[in-house]
Amino acid sequence: MARQKLKEIVIDRSWCKGCGICVHFCPTKVLEIDANEKSVAVRPEDCICCKMCELRCPDLAITVLIDQGEDNEK
Amino acid sequence: MAIQDYLRQRYFPHMWCPGCGHGTILNSLLRAIEELEIEKNDLVITSGIGCSARISGYVDFHSLHTMHGRALPCATGVKLSRPHLNVIVPMGDGDALAIGGNHFIHAARRNIDITAIVMNNRIYGMTGGQFSPLSGPGVNATTAPYKTIDNSFDTVKLAIAAGASFVARSTAYHAQESTDILKKAIQHKGFSVVEILSQCPTHYGRKNKEGDAASMLEFHKKNTARIGSKALEKNPDLTPRGIFVDVDTPEYCAEYEKIIAVASKEKM
Ligand SMILES: Cc1ncc(C[n+]2csc(CCOP(=O)(O)OP(=O)(O)O)c2C)c(N)n1
Ligand code: SF4
Ligand code: SF4
Ligand code: SF4
Ligand SMILES: [Mg+2]
């Protein structure tokens, strides 16, 4: 299986409460809390598409969109 | 369907505090429902009162937000009158096992086909941090300024002893595992109990110096282990996670159907 390729990390800023769970547990340190206490993807190029941020977000504010290119079929 | 399509989005952002584990449990539950492809109309979420119980207001299914501790009797009524519906009952630790403890053991004893989720943050979150029957000894709470001395129930052992035919435990940290377990619990025909350890950073976390939500999740990770794992074998003090019981025993609604059939024949 080819490595999954990230399309976009979508963060709903009106739902995010800046709890920091996604930041703390991201294995490749993609996310940070900004000055407005919201999560932002500062290093999307390092994302390994594990989706742990999306699955653990208590505010259902993150969606990790994966590129559904040809060599990304499972 | 996107997970957000299962929400009544007009109530979002929700009222739970930043980092509240109950939100993650909602997240895991919605994924289980999505993966099982359950129709919105075939699902009833019944809850009592508590921060946890707010869950029924947030989901776009049939929902009943009832009385503190009384979600299971209300759900029993729904299930008996409409046995084809899936009935899920998310409850807080106080809701399920303090005021609702008696209903809990009797629903388990009857083995009625309901999925009960105990969202265990070991505290009364909604009312400001009183200790619950799941706090255990040595915990700071507003009602225990010098720490608790009460032993706690073991939800899993209690559910098994009372007759639940599916019993499991996971945590908010183990979100994928929670989804997998919830899928099995919902599909199981009989009374299913899934305890999911949650975190209340606002009351439990602050009073017990457990830090922010992320460090409370680190506790879930550090202090639990899968049944059958090396880690648990080496350290039996860890809280076990996984599926403890999954058996087929006569289900209440099915047995009741038989009684209805017998009684109808006698009338003719
Ligand atoms: C009959 C009744 N008794 C007491 C209360 C007050 N009350 C509301 S929620 C609650 C406990 C909540 O704790 P828990 O069930 O653990 O849920 P959490 O808020 O922690 O998710 C209590 C005692 C009530 N609403 N109704
Ligand atoms: S886990 Fe969710 S609510 Fe918390 S900071 Fe990340 S996106 Fe925001
Ligand atoms: S998907 Fe995984 S790697 Fe990518 S941002 Fe989320 S937690 Fe980090
Ligand atoms: S008080 Fe505790 S249980 Fe209630 S919403 Fe806040 S963190 Fe969650
Ligand atoms: Mg509680």
PDB file of all heavy atoms in Angstrom, chain A residues 14-15 17 19-21 24-25 52 54-63, chain B residues 3-4 12-14 16 19-20 23-24 26-27 31 173 175-176 214 217-218:
ATOM      1  N   SER A  14     -14.568  27.618  14.717  1.00  0.00           N
ATOM      2  CA  SER A  14     -15.655  28.021  15.623  1.00  0.00           C
ATOM      3  C   SER A  14     -16.020  26.875  16.594  1.00  0.00           C
ATOM      4  O   SER A  14     -16.640  27.110  17.620  1.00  0.00           O
ATOM      5  CB  SER A  14     -16.877  28.484  14.840  1.00  0.00           C
ATOM      6  OG  SER A  14     -17.379  27.420  14.076  1.00  0.00           O
ATOM      7  N   TRP A  15     -15.614  25.643  16.273  1.00  0.00           N
ATOM      8  CA  TRP A  15     -15.877  24.512  17.175  1.00  0.00           C
ATOM      9  C   TRP A  15     -14.685  24.201  18.080  1.00  0.00           C
ATOM     10  O   TRP A  15     -14.858  23.721  19.197  1.00  0.00           O
ATOM     11  CB  TRP A  15     -16.250  23.249  16.381  1.00  0.00           C
ATOM     12  CG  TRP A  15     -17.626  23.295  15.765  1.00  0.00           C
ATOM     13  CD1 TRP A  15     -18.406  24.410  15.560  1.00  0.00           C
ATOM     14  CD2 TRP A  15     -18.396  22.177  15.267  1.00  0.00           C
ATOM     15  NE1 TRP A  15     -19.602  24.053  14.969  1.00  0.00           N
ATOM     16  CE2 TRP A  15     -19.622  22.696  14.774  1.00  0.00           C
ATOM     17  CE3 TRP A  15     -18.162  20.813  15.179  1.00  0.00           C
ATOM     18  CZ2 TRP A  15     -20.614  21.874  14.218  1.00  0.00           C
ATOM     19  CZ3 TRP A  15     -19.140  19.991  14.632  1.00  0.00           C
ATOM     20  CH2 TRP A  15     -20.361  20.525  14.152  1.00  0.00           C
ATOM     21  N   LYS A  17     -11.875  24.300  20.783  1.00  0.00           N
ATOM     22  CA  LYS A  17     -11.759  25.037  22.045  1.00  0.00           C
ATOM     23  C   LYS A  17     -10.318  25.108  22.528  1.00  0.00           C
ATOM     24  O   LYS A  17     -10.056  25.468  23.677  1.00  0.00           O
ATOM     25  CB  LYS A  17     -12.651  24.399  23.108  1.00  0.00           C
ATOM     26  CG  LYS A  17     -14.139  24.472  22.755  1.00  0.00           C
ATOM     27  CD  LYS A  17     -15.036  24.105  23.922  1.00  0.00           C
ATOM     28  CE  LYS A  17     -16.499  24.060  23.499  1.00  0.00           C
ATOM     29  NZ  LYS A  17     -17.086  22.732  23.699  1.00  0.00           N
ATOM     30  N   CYS A  19      -8.116  22.830  23.358  1.00  0.00           N
ATOM     31  CA  CYS A  19      -7.752  21.973  24.497  1.00  0.00           C
ATOM     32  C   CYS A  19      -6.338  21.420  24.387  1.00  0.00           C
ATOM     33  O   CYS A  19      -5.742  21.035  25.378  1.00  0.00           O
ATOM     34  CB  CYS A  19      -8.749  20.823  24.633  1.00  0.00           C
ATOM     35  SG  CYS A  19      -8.633  19.595  23.313  1.00  0.00           S
ATOM     36  N   GLY A  20      -5.815  21.330  23.174  1.00  0.00           N
ATOM     37  CA  GLY A  20      -4.428  20.880  22.993  1.00  0.00           C
ATOM     38  C   GLY A  20      -4.250  19.365  22.888  1.00  0.00           C
ATOM     39  O   GLY A  20      -3.119  18.892  22.767  1.00  0.00           O
ATOM     40  N   ILE A  21      -5.323  18.596  22.922  1.00  0.00           N
ATOM     41  CA  ILE A  21      -5.198  17.130  22.828  1.00  0.00           C
ATOM     42  C   ILE A  21      -4.564  16.740  21.489  1.00  0.00           C
ATOM     43  O   ILE A  21      -3.637  15.930  21.439  1.00  0.00           O
ATOM     44  CB  ILE A  21      -6.583  16.449  23.008  1.00  0.00           C
ATOM     45  CG1 ILE A  21      -7.046  16.576  24.467  1.00  0.00           C
ATOM     46  CG2 ILE A  21      -6.528  14.973  22.589  1.00  0.00           C
ATOM     47  CD1 ILE A  21      -8.461  16.060  24.740  1.00  0.00           C
ATOM     48  N   HIS A  24      -0.791  17.636  21.482  1.00  0.00           N
ATOM     49  CA  HIS A  24       0.008  16.794  22.372  1.00  0.00           C
ATOM     50  C   HIS A  24       0.281  15.413  21.773  1.00  0.00           C
ATOM     51  O   HIS A  24       1.377  14.880  21.920  1.00  0.00           O
ATOM     52  CB  HIS A  24      -0.716  16.659  23.708  1.00  0.00           C
ATOM     53  CG  HIS A  24       0.027  15.868  24.739  1.00  0.00           C
ATOM     54  ND1 HIS A  24       0.939  16.447  25.598  1.00  0.00           N
ATOM     55  CD2 HIS A  24       0.030  14.539  25.035  1.00  0.00           C
ATOM     56  CE1 HIS A  24       1.443  15.506  26.394  1.00  0.00           C
ATOM     57  NE2 HIS A  24       0.904  14.341  26.064  1.00  0.00           N
ATOM     58  N   PHE A  25      -0.728  14.813  21.125  1.00  0.00           N
ATOM     59  CA  PHE A  25      -0.576  13.426  20.690  1.00  0.00           C
ATOM     60  C   PHE A  25      -0.207  13.266  19.209  1.00  0.00           C
ATOM     61  O   PHE A  25      -0.038  12.146  18.749  1.00  0.00           O
ATOM     62  CB  PHE A  25      -1.846  12.628  21.003  1.00  0.00           C
ATOM     63  CG  PHE A  25      -2.043  12.393  22.481  1.00  0.00           C
ATOM     64  CD1 PHE A  25      -3.003  13.104  23.191  1.00  0.00           C
ATOM     65  CD2 PHE A  25      -1.243  11.479  23.160  1.00  0.00           C
ATOM     66  CE1 PHE A  25      -3.182  12.889  24.556  1.00  0.00           C
ATOM     67  CE2 PHE A  25      -1.414  11.263  24.524  1.00  0.00           C
ATOM     68  CZ  PHE A  25      -2.383  11.966  25.233  1.00  0.00           C
ATOM     69  N   MET A  52      -5.320  10.387  14.192  1.00  0.00           N
ATOM     70  CA  MET A  52      -5.548  10.332  15.631  1.00  0.00           C
ATOM     71  C   MET A  52      -6.102  11.662  16.154  1.00  0.00           C
ATOM     72  O   MET A  52      -6.902  11.691  17.077  1.00  0.00           O
ATOM     73  CB  MET A  52      -4.261   9.942  16.380  1.00  0.00           C
ATOM     74  CG  MET A  52      -3.888   8.470  16.263  1.00  0.00           C
ATOM     75  SD  MET A  52      -5.268   7.282  16.241  1.00  0.00           S
ATOM     76  CE  MET A  52      -6.063   7.603  17.802  1.00  0.00           C
ATOM     77  N   GLU A  54      -8.147  13.638  14.579  1.00  0.00           N
ATOM     78  CA  GLU A  54      -9.573  13.653  14.226  1.00  0.00           C
ATOM     79  C   GLU A  54     -10.377  12.745  15.159  1.00  0.00           C
ATOM     80  O   GLU A  54     -11.457  13.115  15.628  1.00  0.00           O
ATOM     81  CB  GLU A  54      -9.725  13.202  12.766  1.00  0.00           C
ATOM     82  CG  GLU A  54     -11.154  13.112  12.304  1.00  0.00           C
ATOM     83  CD  GLU A  54     -11.297  12.694  10.829  1.00  0.00           C
ATOM     84  OE1 GLU A  54     -10.417  13.039  10.013  1.00  0.00           O
ATOM     85  OE2 GLU A  54     -12.296  12.025  10.512  1.00  0.00           O
ATOM     86  N   LEU A  55      -9.839  11.554  15.458  1.00  0.00           N
ATOM     87  CA  LEU A  55     -10.580  10.585  16.276  1.00  0.00           C
ATOM     88  C   LEU A  55     -10.670  11.018  17.733  1.00  0.00           C
ATOM     89  O   LEU A  55     -11.625  10.666  18.424  1.00  0.00           O
ATOM     90  CB  LEU A  55      -9.937   9.200  16.194  1.00  0.00           C
ATOM     91  CG  LEU A  55      -9.830   8.559  14.810  1.00  0.00           C
ATOM     92  CD1 LEU A  55      -9.302   7.136  14.923  1.00  0.00           C
ATOM     93  CD2 LEU A  55     -11.172   8.551  14.096  1.00  0.00           C
ATOM     94  N   ARG A  56      -9.653  11.754  18.223  1.00  0.00           N
ATOM     95  CA  ARG A  56      -9.671  12.119  19.647  1.00  0.00           C
ATOM     96  C   ARG A  56     -10.247  13.504  19.918  1.00  0.00           C
ATOM     97  O   ARG A  56     -10.512  13.836  21.066  1.00  0.00           O
ATOM     98  CB  ARG A  56      -8.247  12.075  20.224  1.00  0.00           C
ATOM     99  CG  ARG A  56      -7.695  10.691  20.377  1.00  0.00           C
ATOM    100  CD  ARG A  56      -6.623  10.636  21.462  1.00  0.00           C
ATOM    101  NE  ARG A  56      -5.966   9.333  21.440  1.00  0.00           N
ATOM    102  CZ  ARG A  56      -4.814   9.081  20.823  1.00  0.00           C
ATOM    103  NH1 ARG A  56      -4.152  10.062  20.242  1.00  0.00           N
ATOM    104  NH2 ARG A  56      -4.295   7.873  20.835  1.00  0.00           N
ATOM    105  N   CYS A  57     -10.451  14.303  18.912  1.00  0.00           N
ATOM    106  CA  CYS A  57     -10.907  15.672  19.176  1.00  0.00           C
ATOM    107  C   CYS A  57     -12.262  15.664  19.882  1.00  0.00           C
ATOM    108  O   CYS A  57     -13.249  15.188  19.345  1.00  0.00           O
ATOM    109  CB  CYS A  57     -11.023  16.473  17.870  1.00  0.00           C
ATOM    110  SG  CYS A  57     -11.717  18.113  18.181  1.00  0.00           S
ATOM    111  N   PRO A  58     -12.329  16.203  21.098  1.00  0.00           N
ATOM    112  CA  PRO A  58     -13.597  16.181  21.839  1.00  0.00           C
ATOM    113  C   PRO A  58     -14.633  17.141  21.257  1.00  0.00           C
ATOM    114  O   PRO A  58     -15.799  17.096  21.638  1.00  0.00           O
ATOM    115  CB  PRO A  58     -13.213  16.595  23.260  1.00  0.00           C
ATOM    116  CG  PRO A  58     -11.810  17.037  23.222  1.00  0.00           C
ATOM    117  CD  PRO A  58     -11.244  16.823  21.864  1.00  0.00           C
ATOM    118  N   ASP A  59     -14.206  18.005  20.371  1.00  0.00           N
ATOM    119  CA  ASP A  59     -15.137  18.987  19.802  1.00  0.00           C
ATOM    120  C   ASP A  59     -15.493  18.686  18.353  1.00  0.00           C
ATOM    121  O   ASP A  59     -16.156  19.497  17.703  1.00  0.00           O
ATOM    122  CB  ASP A  59     -14.572  20.391  19.967  1.00  0.00           C
ATOM    123  CG  ASP A  59     -14.621  20.796  21.435  1.00  0.00           C
ATOM    124  OD1 ASP A  59     -13.696  20.438  22.185  1.00  0.00           O
ATOM    125  OD2 ASP A  59     -15.619  21.407  21.847  1.00  0.00           O
ATOM    126  N   LEU A  60     -15.071  17.542  17.874  1.00  0.00           N
ATOM    127  CA  LEU A  60     -15.338  17.101  16.502  1.00  0.00           C
ATOM    128  C   LEU A  60     -14.985  18.193  15.497  1.00  0.00           C
ATOM    129  O   LEU A  60     -15.700  18.429  14.525  1.00  0.00           O
ATOM    130  CB  LEU A  60     -16.800  16.647  16.362  1.00  0.00           C
ATOM    131  CG  LEU A  60     -17.122  15.450  17.272  1.00  0.00           C
ATOM    132  CD1 LEU A  60     -18.044  15.858  18.399  1.00  0.00           C
ATOM    133  CD2 LEU A  60     -17.723  14.297  16.507  1.00  0.00           C
ATOM    134  N   ALA A  61     -13.864  18.874  15.771  1.00  0.00           N
ATOM    135  CA  ALA A  61     -13.501  20.049  14.988  1.00  0.00           C
ATOM    136  C   ALA A  61     -12.485  19.762  13.885  1.00  0.00           C
ATOM    137  O   ALA A  61     -12.244  20.618  13.045  1.00  0.00           O
ATOM    138  CB  ALA A  61     -12.946  21.131  15.934  1.00  0.00           C
ATOM    139  N   ILE A  62     -11.864  18.565  13.886  1.00  0.00           N
ATOM    140  CA  ILE A  62     -10.817  18.277  12.895  1.00  0.00           C
ATOM    141  C   ILE A  62     -11.259  17.217  11.899  1.00  0.00           C
ATOM    142  O   ILE A  62     -11.824  16.199  12.292  1.00  0.00           O
ATOM    143  CB  ILE A  62      -9.522  17.739  13.546  1.00  0.00           C
ATOM    144  CG1 ILE A  62      -8.972  18.710  14.568  1.00  0.00           C
ATOM    145  CG2 ILE A  62      -8.450  17.444  12.494  1.00  0.00           C
ATOM    146  CD1 ILE A  62      -7.563  18.383  15.012  1.00  0.00           C
ATOM    147  N   THR A  63     -10.990  17.446  10.629  1.00  0.00           N
ATOM    148  CA  THR A  63     -11.160  16.417   9.605  1.00  0.00           C
ATOM    149  C   THR A  63      -9.878  16.347   8.792  1.00  0.00           C
ATOM    150  O   THR A  63      -9.415  17.374   8.282  1.00  0.00           O
ATOM    151  CB  THR A  63     -12.348  16.746   8.674  1.00  0.00           C
ATOM    152  OG1 THR A  63     -13.468  17.087   9.493  1.00  0.00           O
ATOM    153  CG2 THR A  63     -12.709  15.556   7.799  1.00  0.00           C
TER     154      THR A  63
ATOM    155  N   ILE B   3     -19.070  12.543   9.776  1.00  0.00           N
ATOM    156  CA  ILE B   3     -19.471  12.337  11.161  1.00  0.00           C
ATOM    157  C   ILE B   3     -20.368  13.496  11.651  1.00  0.00           C
ATOM    158  O   ILE B   3     -21.308  13.310  12.398  1.00  0.00           O
ATOM    159  CB  ILE B   3     -18.179  12.158  12.013  1.00  0.00           C
ATOM    160  CG1 ILE B   3     -18.285  10.911  12.844  1.00  0.00           C
ATOM    161  CG2 ILE B   3     -17.857  13.294  12.903  1.00  0.00           C
ATOM    162  CD1 ILE B   3     -18.368   9.675  12.078  1.00  0.00           C
ATOM    163  N   GLN B   4     -20.065  14.695  11.136  1.00  0.00           N
ATOM    164  CA  GLN B   4     -20.813  15.881  11.566  1.00  0.00           C
ATOM    165  C   GLN B   4     -22.269  15.838  11.092  1.00  0.00           C
ATOM    166  O   GLN B   4     -23.118  16.526  11.649  1.00  0.00           O
ATOM    167  CB  GLN B   4     -20.135  17.164  11.055  1.00  0.00           C
ATOM    168  CG  GLN B   4     -18.837  17.504  11.776  1.00  0.00           C
ATOM    169  CD  GLN B   4     -17.645  16.674  11.317  1.00  0.00           C
ATOM    170  OE1 GLN B   4     -17.729  15.901  10.364  1.00  0.00           O
ATOM    171  NE2 GLN B   4     -16.526  16.810  12.012  1.00  0.00           N
ATOM    172  N   PHE B  12     -23.908  23.423  18.150  1.00  0.00           N
ATOM    173  CA  PHE B  12     -22.443  23.432  18.227  1.00  0.00           C
ATOM    174  C   PHE B  12     -21.891  24.832  18.044  1.00  0.00           C
ATOM    175  O   PHE B  12     -22.479  25.618  17.314  1.00  0.00           O
ATOM    176  CB  PHE B  12     -21.858  22.465  17.185  1.00  0.00           C
ATOM    177  CG  PHE B  12     -21.863  21.042  17.687  1.00  0.00           C
ATOM    178  CD1 PHE B  12     -23.055  20.358  17.847  1.00  0.00           C
ATOM    179  CD2 PHE B  12     -20.673  20.409  18.030  1.00  0.00           C
ATOM    180  CE1 PHE B  12     -23.077  19.052  18.339  1.00  0.00           C
ATOM    181  CE2 PHE B  12     -20.687  19.110  18.519  1.00  0.00           C
ATOM    182  CZ  PHE B  12     -21.882  18.435  18.664  1.00  0.00           C
ATOM    183  N   PRO B  13     -20.727  25.143  18.659  1.00  0.00           N
ATOM    184  CA  PRO B  13     -19.920  24.288  19.527  1.00  0.00           C
ATOM    185  C   PRO B  13     -20.706  23.830  20.754  1.00  0.00           C
ATOM    186  O   PRO B  13     -21.533  24.577  21.270  1.00  0.00           O
ATOM    187  CB  PRO B  13     -18.741  25.194  19.939  1.00  0.00           C
ATOM    188  CG  PRO B  13     -19.205  26.590  19.683  1.00  0.00           C
ATOM    189  CD  PRO B  13     -20.169  26.513  18.550  1.00  0.00           C
ATOM    190  N   HIS B  14     -20.445  22.607  21.205  1.00  0.00           N
ATOM    191  CA  HIS B  14     -21.207  22.053  22.330  1.00  0.00           C
ATOM    192  C   HIS B  14     -20.824  22.719  23.654  1.00  0.00           C
ATOM    193  O   HIS B  14     -19.879  23.504  23.714  1.00  0.00           O
ATOM    194  CB  HIS B  14     -21.048  20.535  22.383  1.00  0.00           C
ATOM    195  CG  HIS B  14     -19.634  20.040  22.512  1.00  0.00           C
ATOM    196  ND1 HIS B  14     -18.768  20.484  23.479  1.00  0.00           N
ATOM    197  CD2 HIS B  14     -18.939  19.111  21.795  1.00  0.00           C
ATOM    198  CE1 HIS B  14     -17.618  19.847  23.367  1.00  0.00           C
ATOM    199  NE2 HIS B  14     -17.686  19.025  22.339  1.00  0.00           N
ATOM    200  N   TRP B  16     -19.732  21.238  26.439  1.00  0.00           N
ATOM    201  CA  TRP B  16     -18.705  20.601  27.262  1.00  0.00           C
ATOM    202  C   TRP B  16     -17.452  21.470  27.325  1.00  0.00           C
ATOM    203  O   TRP B  16     -17.113  22.168  26.365  1.00  0.00           O
ATOM    204  CB  TRP B  16     -18.368  19.215  26.703  1.00  0.00           C
ATOM    205  CG  TRP B  16     -19.463  18.195  26.894  1.00  0.00           C
ATOM    206  CD1 TRP B  16     -20.227  18.007  28.016  1.00  0.00           C
ATOM    207  CD2 TRP B  16     -19.933  17.226  25.941  1.00  0.00           C
ATOM    208  NE1 TRP B  16     -21.128  16.980  27.813  1.00  0.00           N
ATOM    209  CE2 TRP B  16     -20.964  16.480  26.554  1.00  0.00           C
ATOM    210  CE3 TRP B  16     -19.567  16.894  24.633  1.00  0.00           C
ATOM    211  CZ2 TRP B  16     -21.640  15.443  25.908  1.00  0.00           C
ATOM    212  CZ3 TRP B  16     -20.231  15.862  23.988  1.00  0.00           C
ATOM    213  CH2 TRP B  16     -21.256  15.145  24.621  1.00  0.00           C
ATOM    214  N   GLY B  19     -11.463  20.046  26.304  1.00  0.00           N
ATOM    215  CA  GLY B  19     -10.768  18.823  26.708  1.00  0.00           C
ATOM    216  C   GLY B  19     -11.609  17.812  27.458  1.00  0.00           C
ATOM    217  O   GLY B  19     -11.079  16.816  27.966  1.00  0.00           O
ATOM    218  N   CYS B  20     -12.918  18.005  27.528  1.00  0.00           N
ATOM    219  CA  CYS B  20     -13.802  17.048  28.225  1.00  0.00           C
ATOM    220  C   CYS B  20     -13.837  15.726  27.443  1.00  0.00           C
ATOM    221  O   CYS B  20     -14.128  15.709  26.248  1.00  0.00           O
ATOM    222  CB  CYS B  20     -15.207  17.615  28.341  1.00  0.00           C
ATOM    223  SG  CYS B  20     -16.378  16.424  29.065  1.00  0.00           S
ATOM    224  N   GLY B  23     -16.736  14.465  24.924  1.00  0.00           N
ATOM    225  CA  GLY B  23     -16.773  14.815  23.504  1.00  0.00           C
ATOM    226  C   GLY B  23     -16.092  13.744  22.652  1.00  0.00           C
ATOM    227  O   GLY B  23     -16.556  13.402  21.564  1.00  0.00           O
ATOM    228  N   THR B  24     -14.981  13.213  23.174  1.00  0.00           N
ATOM    229  CA  THR B  24     -14.272  12.157  22.441  1.00  0.00           C
ATOM    230  C   THR B  24     -15.138  10.894  22.381  1.00  0.00           C
ATOM    231  O   THR B  24     -15.159  10.192  21.367  1.00  0.00           O
ATOM    232  CB  THR B  24     -12.920  11.861  23.115  1.00  0.00           C
ATOM    233  OG1 THR B  24     -12.199  13.085  23.214  1.00  0.00           O
ATOM    234  CG2 THR B  24     -12.105  10.867  22.306  1.00  0.00           C
ATOM    235  N   LEU B  26     -18.412  10.802  22.353  1.00  0.00           N
ATOM    236  CA  LEU B  26     -19.405  11.086  21.305  1.00  0.00           C
ATOM    237  C   LEU B  26     -18.786  10.834  19.921  1.00  0.00           C
ATOM    238  O   LEU B  26     -19.406  10.197  19.062  1.00  0.00           O
ATOM    239  CB  LEU B  26     -19.889  12.541  21.423  1.00  0.00           C
ATOM    240  CG  LEU B  26     -20.717  13.088  20.253  1.00  0.00           C
ATOM    241  CD1 LEU B  26     -22.026  12.314  20.083  1.00  0.00           C
ATOM    242  CD2 LEU B  26     -21.022  14.585  20.439  1.00  0.00           C
ATOM    243  N   ASN B  27     -17.577  11.322  19.733  1.00  0.00           N
ATOM    244  CA  ASN B  27     -16.840  11.137  18.487  1.00  0.00           C
ATOM    245  C   ASN B  27     -16.727   9.638  18.159  1.00  0.00           C
ATOM    246  O   ASN B  27     -17.089   9.194  17.054  1.00  0.00           O
ATOM    247  CB  ASN B  27     -15.459  11.784  18.673  1.00  0.00           C
ATOM    248  CG  ASN B  27     -14.666  11.938  17.385  1.00  0.00           C
ATOM    249  OD1 ASN B  27     -14.817  11.157  16.457  1.00  0.00           O
ATOM    250  ND2 ASN B  27     -13.795  12.931  17.332  1.00  0.00           N
ATOM    251  N   ARG B  31     -18.712   7.334  15.064  1.00  0.00           N
ATOM    252  CA  ARG B  31     -17.970   6.538  14.075  1.00  0.00           C
ATOM    253  C   ARG B  31     -18.465   5.095  14.057  1.00  0.00           C
ATOM    254  O   ARG B  31     -18.557   4.466  12.997  1.00  0.00           O
ATOM    255  CB  ARG B  31     -16.469   6.601  14.345  1.00  0.00           C
ATOM    256  CG  ARG B  31     -15.876   7.882  13.800  1.00  0.00           C
ATOM    257  CD  ARG B  31     -14.483   8.177  14.253  1.00  0.00           C
ATOM    258  NE  ARG B  31     -14.357   9.620  14.409  1.00  0.00           N
ATOM    259  CZ  ARG B  31     -14.139  10.467  13.402  1.00  0.00           C
ATOM    260  NH1 ARG B  31     -14.006  10.025  12.179  1.00  0.00           N
ATOM    261  NH2 ARG B  31     -14.076  11.767  13.631  1.00  0.00           N
ATOM    262  N   TYR B 173      -8.802   7.939  25.589  1.00  0.00           N
ATOM    263  CA  TYR B 173      -7.517   7.951  24.873  1.00  0.00           C
ATOM    264  C   TYR B 173      -7.537   6.938  23.727  1.00  0.00           C
ATOM    265  O   TYR B 173      -7.062   7.204  22.633  1.00  0.00           O
ATOM    266  CB  TYR B 173      -6.353   7.635  25.836  1.00  0.00           C
ATOM    267  CG  TYR B 173      -5.050   7.449  25.101  1.00  0.00           C
ATOM    268  CD1 TYR B 173      -4.327   8.544  24.650  1.00  0.00           C
ATOM    269  CD2 TYR B 173      -4.574   6.169  24.799  1.00  0.00           C
ATOM    270  CE1 TYR B 173      -3.154   8.380  23.926  1.00  0.00           C
ATOM    271  CE2 TYR B 173      -3.407   5.995  24.076  1.00  0.00           C
ATOM    272  CZ  TYR B 173      -2.700   7.114  23.643  1.00  0.00           C
ATOM    273  OH  TYR B 173      -1.542   6.947  22.928  1.00  0.00           O
ATOM    274  N   ALA B 175      -9.399   5.862  21.325  1.00  0.00           N
ATOM    275  CA  ALA B 175     -10.615   6.212  20.581  1.00  0.00           C
ATOM    276  C   ALA B 175     -10.979   5.169  19.526  1.00  0.00           C
ATOM    277  O   ALA B 175     -12.154   4.813  19.380  1.00  0.00           O
ATOM    278  CB  ALA B 175     -10.436   7.581  19.936  1.00  0.00           C
ATOM    279  N   GLN B 176      -9.978   4.674  18.829  1.00  0.00           N
ATOM    280  CA  GLN B 176     -10.251   3.671  17.790  1.00  0.00           C
ATOM    281  C   GLN B 176     -10.772   2.374  18.416  1.00  0.00           C
ATOM    282  O   GLN B 176     -11.727   1.767  17.933  1.00  0.00           O
ATOM    283  CB  GLN B 176      -8.956   3.407  17.001  1.00  0.00           C
ATOM    284  CG  GLN B 176      -9.104   2.429  15.863  1.00  0.00           C
ATOM    285  CD  GLN B 176      -9.952   2.982  14.734  1.00  0.00           C
ATOM    286  OE1 GLN B 176      -9.601   3.988  14.139  1.00  0.00           O
ATOM    287  NE2 GLN B 176     -11.085   2.346  14.459  1.00  0.00           N
ATOM    288  N   ALA B 214      -4.789  16.658  28.091  1.00  0.00           N
ATOM    289  CA  ALA B 214      -3.812  15.752  27.472  1.00  0.00           C
ATOM    290  C   ALA B 214      -3.093  14.923  28.531  1.00  0.00           C
ATOM    291  O   ALA B 214      -2.886  13.721  28.348  1.00  0.00           O
ATOM    292  CB  ALA B 214      -2.812  16.556  26.639  1.00  0.00           C
ATOM    293  N   LEU B 217      -5.288  12.198  29.702  1.00  0.00           N
ATOM    294  CA  LEU B 217      -5.329  11.097  28.731  1.00  0.00           C
ATOM    295  C   LEU B 217      -4.077  10.225  28.843  1.00  0.00           C
ATOM    296  O   LEU B 217      -4.125   9.020  28.629  1.00  0.00           O
ATOM    297  CB  LEU B 217      -5.484  11.638  27.309  1.00  0.00           C
ATOM    298  CG  LEU B 217      -6.871  12.164  26.959  1.00  0.00           C
ATOM    299  CD1 LEU B 217      -6.863  12.839  25.591  1.00  0.00           C
ATOM    300  CD2 LEU B 217      -7.928  11.068  26.982  1.00  0.00           C
ATOM    301  N   GLU B 218      -2.950  10.855  29.203  1.00  0.00           N
ATOM    302  CA  GLU B 218      -1.725  10.082  29.443  1.00  0.00           C
ATOM    303  C   GLU B 218      -1.956   9.069  30.574  1.00  0.00           C
ATOM    304  O   GLU B 218      -1.409   7.972  30.547  1.00  0.00           O
ATOM    305  CB  GLU B 218      -0.549  10.999  29.788  1.00  0.00           C
ATOM    306  CG  GLU B 218      -0.041  11.860  28.626  1.00  0.00           C
ATOM    307  CD  GLU B 218       0.845  11.091  27.636  1.00  0.00           C
ATOM    308  OE1 GLU B 218       1.056   9.880  27.824  1.00  0.00           O
ATOM    309  OE2 GLU B 218       1.299  11.734  26.662  1.00  0.00           O
TER     310      GLU B 218
END
